[in-house]
Amino acid sequence: MANAQSQDPTISAKREAEYRDSRPYLVLAETKGLSNLTANEKAAYANSRFLETGAWRHWSEGQQKEFWNVVEQQKIPIPLEKPRDLGKDSRGREIGNYTVEEYKAYVRREEELRGLREKSARFRGKWKQGGIEEGGEELEEERNRRGVIGLLQGKQMEKYEGDPVWDDVVPIPQDDGEGALAAIAYTDEYAEGQSSQLNFLLLKAELIFIAMGYLRAVMASKEYSPRVLDLTEHIISMNAAHYTVWLYRASTLFVINFPIDQELAWVNEVALENQKNYQIWHHRQLLIDHLYATVSSDPVALQKLGNDEIAFMTQMFDEDSKNYHVWSYRQWLVRKLNLFNKAELKSIERLLRSDVRNNSAWSHRFFVVFSDPKYCTEGSKATEHDPKVPNEILDREIEFSKAATFEAPQNQSPWNYLRGVLRKGGRKLGTLECFAGEFVKIPEDGTEEDVRSSHALDFLADVWSEEGKVEQADTALRLLGDKYDRIRKNYWDWRRGLLKHEGLEKGVAGLDIGK
């Protein structure tokens, strides 16, 4: 039963059988041999040859009449023409290999295709003359019709080929030139439509190339329209990192005055699906720049814009609280909307409470606090003293970072933050020697030390070095290299070497002064 279908005769076999059945005496001569035929069979064979070659057409009318009487008496069938090659169908299959039933279905399918193509041709003429309303039922019927045509042809109709809206655009193919470094080489399996991961990627690349052909065409004609937004959205859905597509989409948005709030809602979805994409955030900056011009004079609208953006970034941080692109955008947004305020600090504090080791959040807090134009020196670098920063701000930040170190003493972020705050305030590290000493106890009697934070030990090493306490600093650096941070032992040994060198230089300088 399983082989019943495969044993069905093909249309080629059926046509060949019909061809041979129309030449019984030729077949008889082939099988028995001409010399072995009877006299009657030889006569019938000769008449069948006359019939096949058409030699009887040159005879007189009487001879022709007599010939046809003999043909009828001998029951010689009219010979059929040699079956021609039926070729291949749209799927690449040999039509001759169809079974009889498959061939009947094929003929019906071709008749249906012919009818659909005729209707589609009439639609194209009417559409070209402007006789069809865009968005109407006739347009949707044509889209569906083209989809059916594609299915009957054994392929999925390409998106733009199947949409009459794009009939007026002739796509511009990509020209990589000769010797292209990244030419696409399609596999035989891909050409045959086999499913595999590689072929899926090749198919996706092919779809992008097709869509990009249309984009190059509309860019060449400088078209800015809603359908261009649809086109760019389609390409971005396949490749969200295509910089050119994002730029042209932004230009189109601004030319046709597309609602920016709608675009931001769409960008939110794309960003959540593409966490590490830079182009999305550059596009968002362009949108906010454009929107800012319309709301900058309205404090309520400006505050709402800031709140909405912070709320979306919170969503992004829920997925990845250390996303570099989001933090870079947030710093830009703070400057753009002047968000140097308590609300921004509170927002960062919430992030640090959930993850005190989030170095990105620590860095952003430092930026917000020490870039505030209300009290900071414009252009002051992050690593230099700014005398304009009020003492109460410095004290607040010192206490904030101290509280974080008590929560996680071995977390390097608050220790680095603490160093930055002291440098900004022009204060010496030694002002916090007692605080760092809470985490490090090194008895003078040589008994075992108690170190709860290697970063506190590093901090004290710098404090003692500044104060000229070389032996204490060297002890701290030795403990770091030998016990508390052995993975960086070479670094700590290098620091010890610098410490001894600096001590030697100071000693030599003292001798010179004595002279």
Side-chain angles (χ1 to χ4, degrees):
M1 291 296 292
N3 296 325
Q5 186 174 0
S6 62
Q7 292 174 354
D8 289 343
T10 64
I11 189 65
S12 289
K14 181 177 181 296
R15 294 171 75 220
E16 180 65 25
E18 291 172 346
Y19 172 78
R20 292 178 67 81
D21 287 345
S22 71
R23 291 166 170 73
Y25 292 104
L26 291 177
V27 173
L28 188 64
E30 289 176 2
T31 55
K32 291 179 63 176
L34 186 60
S35 60
N36 294 324
L37 299 181
T38 65
N40 288 336
E41 288 174 341
K42 287 180 180 179
Y45 170 77
N47 287 328
S48 68
R49 292 294 296 163
F50 290 140
L51 188 62
E52 183 173 13
T53 60
W56 56 272
R57 292 187 178 89
H58 305 289
W59 297 346
S60 66
E61 185 176 344
Q63 287 177 312
Q64 288 186 29
K65 185 177 181 180
E66 182 179 353
F67 171 72
W68 282 107
N69 286 333
V70 172
V71 167
E72 186 176 351
Q73 289 173 6
Q74 294 179 331
K75 298 180 179 180
I76 301 174
I78 304 299
L80 299 176
E81 291 185 6
K82 183 72 175 176
R84 61 181 177 82
D85 185 7
L86 296 175
K88 297 180 179 180
D89 62 15
S90 58
R91 299 172 177 83
R93 181 183 175 188
E94 293 285 349
I95 297 174
N97 291 334
Y98 280 11
T99 65
V100 175
E101 291 303 316
E102 287 175 335
Y103 184 71
K104 289 179 181 178
Y106 167 76
V107 172
R108 289 194 298 269
R109 187 167 64 244
E110 287 299 301
E111 290 176 352
E112 186 177 355
L113 265 173
R114 193 177 301 110
L116 290 170
R117 287 172 179 146
E118 289 174 358
K119 290 181 180 179
S120 187
R122 288 195 294 271
F123 172 89
R124 289 174 191 269
K126 191 175 177 182
W127 171 260
K128 191 174 182 180
Q129 295 171 5
I132 294 176
E133 180 183 357
E134 188 167 340
E137 291 184 3
E138 287 184 274
L139 182 63
E140 191 58 33
E141 286 177 2
E142 175 63 11
R143 288 193 180 110
N144 294 333
R145 185 183 298 121
R146 294 188 187 186
V148 174
I149 289 174
L151 290 174
L152 291 175
Q153 290 176 333
K155 67 172 186 177
Q156 185 174 357
M157 184 74 75
E158 185 268 315
K159 177 179 173 68
Y160 303 99
E161 180 187 2
D163 191 343
V165 171
W166 293 95
D167 283 352
D168 63 309
V169 178
V170 178
I172 299 175
Q174 179 173 322
D175 183 10
D176 293 325
E178 295 184 6
L181 293 178
I184 300 296
Y186 297 104
T187 64
D188 293 337
E189 290 80 6
Y190 170 67
E192 295 172 3
Q194 300 295 322
S195 58
S196 69
Q197 182 64 23
L198 173 61
N199 294 326
F200 169 77
L201 295 174
L202 287 171
L203 176 59
K204 185 177 180 180
E206 176 70 9
L207 292 175
I208 294 173
F209 285 171
I210 291 171
M212 283 302 298
Y214 282 86
L215 181 65
R216 281 187 286 272
V218 298
M219 289 175 66
S221 64
K222 293 182 171 58
E223 177 185 335
Y224 303 99
S225 65
R227 73 173 181 177
V228 172
L229 294 184
D230 292 338
L231 173 61
T232 55
E233 180 178 345
H234 180 222
I235 298 174
I236 288 168
S237 71
M238 296 184 287
N239 179 14
H242 207 303
Y243 184 69
T244 303
V245 181
W246 281 106
L247 282 181
Y248 200 73
R249 180 178 181 87
S251 299
T252 303
L253 289 167
F254 303 147
V255 169
I256 69 175
N257 292 318
F258 190 83
I260 300 301
D261 58 339
Q262 293 184 29
E263 179 69 4
L264 283 171
W266 174 76
V267 171
N268 289 355
E269 296 177 4
V270 178
L272 287 167
E273 293 175 0
N274 299 271
Q275 292 281 324
K276 302 297 184 182
N277 184 289
Y278 165 75
Q279 283 77 10
I280 294 171
W281 297 95
H282 178 262
H283 183 72
R284 197 178 194 95
Q285 285 188 27
L286 295 178
L287 297 177
I288 298 301
D289 269 333
H290 189 80
L291 187 58
Y292 180 79
T294 65
V295 301
S296 58
S297 59
D298 184 346
V300 175
L302 202 58
Q303 183 176 1
K304 181 181 184 305
L305 176 60
N307 291 341
D308 289 346
E309 288 301 284
I310 296 299
F312 173 65
M313 283 187 279
T314 300
Q315 272 189 279
M316 292 293 296
F317 287 141
D318 287 342
E319 300 291 331
D320 180 3
S321 63
K322 300 175 184 178
N323 190 313
Y324 169 78
H325 302 301
V326 186
W327 282 112
S328 296
Y329 173 77
R330 186 161 187 152
Q331 188 174 119
W332 173 86
L333 188 74
V334 167
R335 287 191 186 277
K336 184 70 181 179
L337 304 185
N338 193 25
L339 298 178
F340 297 97
N341 51 41
K342 290 183 179 179
E344 182 68 3
L345 287 178
K346 289 293 183 184
S347 177
I348 302 306
E349 284 179 23
R350 284 193 292 270
L351 284 168
L352 287 173
R353 278 199 296 271
S354 64
D355 180 10
V356 73
R357 292 173 173 80
N358 189 339
N359 192 53
S360 299
W362 280 105
S363 297
H364 187 72
R365 182 182 178 94
F366 192 89
F367 163 76
V368 173
V369 172
F370 296 109
S371 301
D372 191 337
K374 290 191 296 293
Y375 54 78
C376 293
T377 302
E378 184 178 356
S380 176
K381 295 179 181 179
T383 56
E384 67 182 7
H385 173 218
D386 185 355
K388 287 188 176 183
V389 178
N391 283 323
E392 59 267 25
I393 298 294
L394 294 169
D395 292 340
R396 182 194 69 191
E397 294 307 300
I398 288 172
E399 293 305 313
F400 182 83
S401 53
K402 284 168 66 175
T405 55
F406 279 118
E407 182 180 344
Q410 197 51 30
N411 176 20
Q412 188 174 9
S413 295
W415 288 101
N416 287 342
Y417 190 86
L418 194 59
R419 287 172 180 266
V421 173
L422 292 174
R423 183 169 295 181
K424 268 293 174 186
R427 300 182 182 183
K428 292 185 175 295
L429 296 179
T431 59
L432 291 177
E433 180 177 359
C434 290
F435 166 71
E438 295 287 333
F439 304 93
V440 176
K441 305 296 182 186
I442 304 178
E444 295 182 359
D445 60 4
T447 57
E448 188 174 0
E449 72 286 347
D450 178 18
V451 177
R452 291 191 293 133
S453 171
S454 63
H455 307 299
L457 188 58
D458 180 21
F459 188 93
L460 286 172
D462 287 336
V463 169
W464 293 331
S465 178
E466 283 184 355
E467 295 176 349
K469 299 176 181 179
V470 177
E471 288 189 13
Q472 287 177 270
D474 183 71
T475 298
L477 294 172
R478 177 179 55 78
L479 287 172
L480 283 166
D482 293 346
K483 191 171 183 180
Y484 295 103
D485 190 13
R486 285 181 291 183
I487 196 170
R488 294 195 296 166
K489 177 174 172 53
N490 290 341
Y491 168 71
W492 300 119
D493 288 345
W494 173 76
R495 287 271 302 273
R496 291 178 71 190
L498 286 181
L499 186 66
K500 293 176 182 179
H501 181 70
E502 290 171 359
L504 181 61
E505 285 185 341
K506 288 179 181 178
V508 172
L511 290 174
D512 290 339
I513 292 172
K515 290 180 181 179

